[in-house]
Amino acid sequence: MDLTSYAELAVLLINSPDRLTGLEGLRTLLEEGGRYRPGCRLTRGDLEALRDLREELMTVFETAAAGDEEGVVDRLNSLLIHHPVQPQISGHDGERWHMHLTEGGRMADQYAVGAVMGLATMVTDHGVDRLGLCQAPPCRRAYLDTSSNRSRRYCSERCASRANVAAYRARQKVGQ
């Protein structure tokens, strides 16, 4: 079971506040995360629950960025209690039998279980420092550092380039 893809659900949710303004945006978010099933019923309750989850997950990433390892673990443990895992064996789309974390409950519950369990596994397998917030001002998008040397500092190549250009220009000003 690849729980990194589940952890990426947390990053997607944190980085998509604009999608949480209505049910159509929520559907788009779920499709992008590979979690939307045609015919599934989305409700305002799902939307509100994912807005709340987004805030809680953002706090986890902010706590990680502050270097508070115990704080991250405490927050994730609270989320794991609030969103208990219900594993099930699944086979679909011509794939072999594999595990899914949950198939029951409302859509927001399914998303939450995957995101929280994915982050918890990422932290226990690789460390809290793998959860990051982009260091390119003013961006504060979340990312998972999957680099072999734990060196990622930006959410995207675009932010990395922008930060590098700004640093270069700052050095040039000092040199003048």
Side-chain angles (χ1 to χ4, degrees):
M1 174 184 267
D2 175 25
L3 290 176
T4 301
S5 66
Y6 281 103
E8 289 168 356
L9 293 174
V11 171
L12 177 63
L13 183 62
I14 291 168
N15 294 340
S16 301
D18 55 318
R19 302 253 176 89
L20 298 176
T21 58
L23 293 178
E24 192 56 42
L26 176 57
R27 180 174 288 109
T28 301
L29 172 76
L30 294 172
E31 287 171 350
E32 187 174 332
R35 300 294 179 232
Y36 182 75
R37 292 185 316 273
C40 85
R41 186 171 167 257
L42 299 177
T43 67
R44 289 261 168 226
D46 288 317
L47 185 60
E48 288 302 317
L50 287 176
R51 283 179 185 156
D52 292 342
L53 178 64
R54 180 191 177 280
E55 295 304 315
E56 292 179 66
L57 294 174
M58 185 62 181
T59 301
V60 169
F61 275 78
E62 290 169 344
T63 305
D68 183 0
E69 193 169 303
E70 286 187 29
V72 170
V73 170
D74 288 344
R75 290 179 184 286
L76 286 174
N77 277 334
S78 293
L79 287 168
L80 286 168
I81 290 167
H82 188 71
H83 303 285
V85 177
Q86 300 170 5
Q88 290 186 342
I89 299 171
S90 180
H92 56 83
D93 302 327
E95 292 183 32
R96 295 183 43 189
W97 292 114
H98 58 279
M99 295 295 291
H100 278 260
L101 293 179
T102 185
E103 291 294 329
R106 65 183 183 175
M107 182 55 69
D109 296 328
Q110 294 172 31
Y111 196 101
V113 164
V116 171
M117 188 65 188
L119 286 180
T121 301
M122 179 70 105
V123 165
T124 57
D125 288 353
H126 304 289
V128 170
D129 58 340
R130 294 300 185 138
L131 310 182
L133 293 175
C134 187
Q135 293 180 17
C139 184
R140 296 292 289 165
R141 291 173 56 94
Y143 64 85
L144 299 174
D145 184 354
T146 56
S147 66
S148 60
N149 61 357
R150 300 174 185 255
S151 62
R152 187 167 176 185
R153 297 182 0 207
Y154 305 104
C155 67
S156 65
E157 288 297 321
R158 180 177 178 212
C159 277
S161 294
R162 191 176 59 209
N164 289 332
V165 167
Y168 172 78
R169 288 181 180 156
R171 286 191 305 272
Q172 294 303 309
K173 277 188 177 179
V174 171
Q176 289 179 356

